[in-house]
Amino acid sequence: MSVLDKLKELLKGHEEQAGKGIDKAGDYVDERTQGKYQSQVDTAQDKLKEQLGGTDRDTDRPPQ
């Protein structure tokens, strides 16, 4: 069993909280890098949410 599979199993039923944590971590990285890597961070956040089963995508952001 891979690490990602174990994470998915642990987070089952807590997708909303995981999504909030991913957003918070991304905001922290953006703050520390002064937004220099914002598009890469946003892409990573979306992909991680997708992998962990979080289906809620940011609808307030225009598609890139």
Side-chain angles (χ1 to χ4, degrees):
M1 181 179 268
S2 73
V3 173
L4 187 57
D5 290 336
K6 289 180 183 180
L7 278 175
K8 286 180 185 180
E9 190 174 315
L10 288 172
L11 295 174
K12 190 176 255 183
H14 303 284
E15 290 86 3
E16 185 176 329
Q17 289 175 330
K20 288 179 183 179
I22 292 167
D23 288 336
K24 191 172 183 177
D27 292 343
Y28 177 77
V29 171
D30 284 338
E31 179 184 320
R32 297 294 292 177
T33 61
Q34 298 173 347
K36 186 175 181 180
Y37 304 104
Q38 184 176 4
S39 65
Q40 291 92 336
V41 171
D42 290 343
T43 301
Q45 286 175 308
D46 289 342
K47 289 186 185 276
L48 188 55
K49 286 181 185 179
E50 195 176 291
Q51 285 290 318
L52 295 178
T55 57
D56 61 332
R57 298 188 61 140
D58 290 335
T59 56
D60 60 328
R61 253 191 327 200
Q64 295 180 2

